Amino acid sequence: MPRVMLIGEWRSGKSTLIRILSRSDYRPRKVFAVDHHGDFVNTPSEFLENRRWYPALITASAHCDILIFVQDATRTTCQIAPSLDAMFNRKVIGVITKTDLPEANVARAERFLRNAGVRDMYAVSLATGDGVDALRQELGLE
Ligand SMILES: Nc1nc2c(ncn2[C@@H]2O[C@H](COP(=O)(O)OP(=O)(O)O)[C@@H](O)[C@H]2O)c(=O)[nH]1
Ligand SMILES: [Mg+2]
């Protein structure tokens, strides 16, 4: 399978996504550091929130095949900078989480991700599993 790196703001669902996609009991071990779990690379939310950390994201992405920008569908703001995809010479896909929650607005999350440079997006609920199969297929997971 490809090596997949996740980028997204605090509580957007990065750790949960890794747990579900890897079918294992992933708990992030490290705080404020890139965390490897099999073929998944988790990144600290702080690396997205302040551009002084962008070099750390670029370095971590170097040995990854696919980057996932994670956007929480219930959030009314987006911390992913416009055209952030251009910073990486990698395939980027978007994952919209929390589609099961009443305050979720998938169209808004899609706009945020499109603004960040994402073209291919997957809307999922990590609570119900909705949409996860399509994402698995995209990533070449069984
Ligand atoms: N209802 C619901 N909760 C979710 C979903 N994805 C993540 N969560 C919850 O959101 C919280 C933050 O998720 P986490 O994976 O720790 O976010 P991270 O900070 O990006 O790693 C946890 O309590 C998750 O259970 C989802 O699709 N639906
Ligand atoms: Mg986490």
Side-chain angles (χ1 to χ4, degrees):
M1 80 162 264
R3 194 178 287 260
V4 179
M5 179 168 124
L6 291 92
I7 295 175
E9 68 187 69
W10 186 63
R11 291 185 68 79
S12 59
K14 300 182 295 299
S15 300
T16 310
L17 201 47
I18 292 177
R19 194 149 54 239
I20 287 174
L21 292 176
S22 66
R23 298 192 203 277
S24 69
D25 187 29
Y26 170 67
R27 308 276 157 193
R29 289 169 297 255
K30 293 177 185 165
V31 176
F32 211 75
V34 173
D35 193 29
H36 293 253
H37 181 74
D39 288 314
F40 294 94
V41 179
N42 200 2
T43 62
S45 313
E46 292 86 349
F47 282 14
L48 183 60
E49 290 159 10
N50 191 323
R51 58 183 64 228
R52 75 196 299 196
W53 296 108
Y54 284 0
L57 286 179
I58 294 169
T59 302
S61 74
H63 67 297
C64 294
D65 307 298
I66 300 180
L67 308 192
I68 298 181
F69 289 1
V70 183
Q71 175 66 37
D72 176 342
T74 69
R75 297 282 294 159
T76 58
T77 57
C78 178
Q79 289 194 327
I80 309 172
S83 303
L84 189 71
D85 70 306
M87 196 168 77
F88 307 99
N89 183 23
R90 290 290 179 276
K91 173 176 179 166
V92 175
I93 66 170
V95 171
I96 298 164
T97 57
K98 308 196 189 182
T99 57
D100 58 287
L101 294 178
E103 65 271 36
N105 183 332
V106 174
R108 178 180 60 204
E110 281 175 358
R111 279 198 302 279
F112 286 152
L113 285 173
R114 212 171 293 126
N115 190 42
V118 177
R119 280 176 300 272
D120 298 333
M121 304 175 203
Y122 296 82
V124 303
S125 164
L126 301 179
T128 68
D130 247 36
V132 171
D133 283 347
L135 176 60
R136 281 185 172 285
Q137 244 172 28
E138 166 71 40
L139 296 175
L141 303 169
E142 85 291 355

